[in-house]
């Protein structure tokens, strides 16, 4: 985190307030928040999935709570232990409490382009989930290419339908590949307003490397590896998710 601050980043998702038995690596969320520099002008985000996580995040002093809603039922059950509808209801409860505490909120629609279990995710599905999220008034909605299967031609369709239902909510695109990030940046330029494109683990200048013209590669097949638990499965990268959760500005 300190190296990110040295690089000029001022909005950082610092930790996740999830059940320590399910994700032991995140059991020290409170200790992380207690140690982050508070004199560098940074805003720190904590990921929460339920009201217990929100309680912990509020006690730890986060500046923003980010909730993740997976776009597909199977991935949601495997990764978060609840279905999409139940996760959306959890978001609604979190939003009411966060607004009462004047805490900024954001929601990421995970697997907005493809699912390791159900395959391609349609723009209509993204719009359906985004509509329910927007009704509870987050500061922003992010579309996540979680398993790295999105291609540039899909970015415009998904950002377009999300913008239609998001109203005045800020809209963000979290890319896993430079080419799809470049397409997101093009869309932002064509649609001025509260929309930004951000890469994960790669600087936004990667957009300069995009070749001209439409994409030529097809959507890669989405395959589940034998023995996979689902949250780190991708046909493209041999079962590893691409990028970090750092949001580039």
């Amino acid at each position: 985190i300190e190296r990110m601050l040295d690089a000029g980043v001022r909005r950082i998702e610092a930790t996740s307030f999830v059940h320590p038995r399910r994700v032991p690596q995140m059991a020290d969320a409170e200790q992380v928040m207690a140690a982050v520099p508070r004199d560098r002008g940074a805003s720190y985000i904590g990921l929460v999935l339920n009201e217990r996580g929100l309680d912990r995040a509020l006690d730890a002093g986060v500046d923003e709570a980010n909730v993740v809603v997976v776009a597909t039922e199977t991935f949601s059950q495997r990764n978060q232990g609840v279905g999409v509808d139940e996760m959306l209801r959890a978001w609604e409860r979190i939003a009411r409490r966060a607004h009462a505490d004047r805490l900024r909120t954001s929601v990421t629609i995970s697997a907005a382009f493809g699912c390791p279990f159900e395959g391609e995710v349609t723009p209509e599905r993204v719009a359906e989930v985004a509509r329910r999220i927007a009704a509870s008034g987050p500061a922003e909605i992010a579309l996540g290419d979680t398993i790295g299967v999105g291609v540039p031609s899909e970015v415009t369709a998904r950002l377009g339908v999300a913008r239609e239902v998001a109203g005045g909510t800020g809209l963000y695109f979290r890319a896993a590949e430079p080419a799809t990030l470049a397409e997101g940046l093009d869309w932002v330029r064509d649609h001025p307003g509260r929309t930004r494109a951000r890469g994960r683990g790669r600087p936004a200048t990667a957009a300069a490397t995009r070749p001209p013209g439409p994409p030529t590669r097809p959507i890669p097949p989405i395959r589940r590896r034998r023995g996979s638990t689902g949250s780190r499965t991708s046909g493209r990268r041999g079962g590893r998710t691409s990028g970090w959760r750092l949001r580039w500005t």
Side-chain angles (χ1 to χ4, degrees):
I1 289 174
E2 291 181 353
R3 292 179 66 181
M4 292 178 191
L5 292 171
D6 291 341
V9 179
R10 289 298 178 266
R11 187 172 176 227
I12 300 172
E13 189 167 294
T15 190
S16 299
F17 294 89
V18 294
H19 201 296
R21 284 204 299 268
R22 292 182 67 91
V23 190
Q25 298 90 336
M26 297 293 179
D28 62 349
E30 283 82 1
Q31 292 92 319
V32 170
M33 284 303 304
V36 294
R38 291 291 189 175
D39 58 351
R40 305 282 295 274
S43 173
Y44 297 108
I45 305 167
L47 185 147
V48 303
L49 298 179
N50 51 41
E51 291 185 86
R52 172 56 182 152
L54 178 63
D55 288 338
R56 293 175 59 199
L58 288 168
D59 290 343
V62 301
D63 301 299
E64 176 180 338
N66 176 249
V67 178
V68 175
V69 177
V70 183
T72 63
E73 187 69 20
T74 308
F75 201 173
S76 183
Q77 291 281 359
R78 296 292 187 94
N79 193 58
Q80 295 177 202
V82 298
V84 177
D85 191 65
E86 186 175 349
M87 194 62 224
L88 285 167
R89 290 197 299 270
W91 149 243
E92 291 164 1
R93 294 191 297 270
I94 290 168
R96 286 193 295 269
R97 291 189 51 199
H99 294 335
D101 283 306
R102 300 183 180 276
L103 180 70
R104 176 185 168 94
T105 58
S106 55
V107 182
T108 297
I109 302 178
S110 181
F113 291 78
C115 169
F117 303 101
E118 300 182 22
E120 183 177 358
V121 177
T122 66
E124 292 75 18
R125 176 59 176 171
V126 173
E128 177 186 352
V129 175
R131 183 179 293 107
R132 286 194 58 181
I133 291 170
S136 293
E140 71 177 49
I141 298 174
L143 304 186
D145 182 16
T146 306
I147 62 172
V149 296
V151 294
S153 59
E154 298 179 317
V155 174
T156 297
R158 282 158 180 76
L159 287 174
V161 297
R163 191 184 195 217
E164 288 178 4
V165 303
T169 303
L171 184 62
Y172 290 74
F173 170 52
R174 300 176 66 166
E177 298 293 337
T180 52
L181 173 60
E183 187 71 15
L185 290 169
D186 286 346
W187 194 92
V188 170
R189 283 191 290 268
D190 293 338
H191 299 79
R194 299 183 62 195
T195 312
R196 297 181 186 176
R198 291 172 172 176
R200 295 189 303 155
R202 299 178 177 88
T205 52
T209 66
R210 181 174 68 92
T216 58
R217 61 176 178 170
I219 298 175
I222 303 175
R223 298 185 297 272
R224 179 184 174 190
R225 291 192 304 162
R226 182 175 299 175
S228 169
T229 59
S231 61
R232 296 184 65 82
T233 306
S234 167
R236 175 177 299 171
R237 291 182 176 265
R240 297 186 62 189
T241 49
S242 304
W244 299 334
R245 295 188 64 83
L246 169 63
R247 298 179 172 195
W248 294 93
T249 56

